[in-house]
Amino acid sequence: MPPRTRQSQRRPARPVTITAVVDPVAALASENLDDNLYLYDTNRAAGSTGFGTPGLRSLVHKGDTLLWNVLPLECETYVSLTDIEIDPRIAEPVRKVYPGTDIVFWTAEVKQDITEPVPYRLSFLLGTVSTPFTPTARPVLAGPAPEGR
């Protein structure tokens, strides 16, 4: 009997959660979010890199569901993710609220496979300041490395 050829199977879409950990007290005191923003995702095993930095590189595929949320290091200081700017051909984030709470999260579906890194911008409200804080460092969505690299 000849050996079976392995058929390429498209894996099912999976959620990729991107969490922004913010030190709002330090960010407000220094007026600098770059040094007080730590990004993580749930996709390290698949190849995401840059954990704990504002330059997180999340490895994603077409059809993946993205979910962004925020955790403040100081629970008594207000922090909210207020905007996500990204190429709408790649994803269109939608602001949502967990039912029965005022906790905001954002979600989007990756519309196409990514061949070049796609940077995006996050903006946050901190404390009682009405002007959003936007870090200069930009996280990116990235696709897998091409075969043979």
Side-chain angles (χ1 to χ4, degrees):
M1 177 182 284
R4 290 185 185 177
T5 58
R6 193 169 175 197
Q7 292 182 352
S8 174
Q9 291 182 342
R10 179 76 174 150
R11 61 182 181 65
R14 65 210 160 42
V16 176
T17 300
I18 300 169
T19 300
V21 179
V22 178
D23 184 342
V25 173
L28 288 165
S30 67
E31 297 182 358
N32 179 344
L33 189 55
D34 283 281
D35 295 336
N36 301 291
L37 173 64
Y38 314 93
L39 296 174
Y40 299 88
D41 75 25
T42 56
N43 219 16
R44 175 175 260 166
S48 292
T49 59
F51 290 87
T53 72
L56 176 68
R57 182 183 180 101
S58 297
L59 189 89
V60 298
H61 296 85
K62 178 181 179 179
D64 285 349
T65 298
L66 304 175
L67 183 138
W68 288 270
N69 61 25
V70 63
L71 294 172
L73 284 179
E74 169 58 54
C75 63
E76 293 179 4
T77 304
Y78 179 78
V79 177
S80 179
L81 179 57
T82 59
D83 192 27
I84 301 171
E85 295 174 33
I86 190 168
D87 183 339
R89 295 172 297 175
I90 302 300
E92 294 185 65
V94 176
R95 181 184 184 273
K96 296 184 178 180
V97 177
Y98 286 106
T101 74
D102 60 355
I103 299 171
V104 173
F105 67 100
W106 293 73
T107 187
E109 181 178 323
V110 177
K111 295 180 178 181
Q112 61 182 327
D113 283 323
I114 297 174
T115 56
E116 294 291 325
V118 177
Y120 62 95
R121 182 175 313 229
L122 301 172
S123 295
F124 300 86
L125 285 178
L126 306 178
T128 59
V129 177
S130 61
T131 303
F133 282 71
T134 302
T136 55
R138 300 196 50 197
V140 299
L141 299 180
E147 295 292 321
R149 278 185 144 180

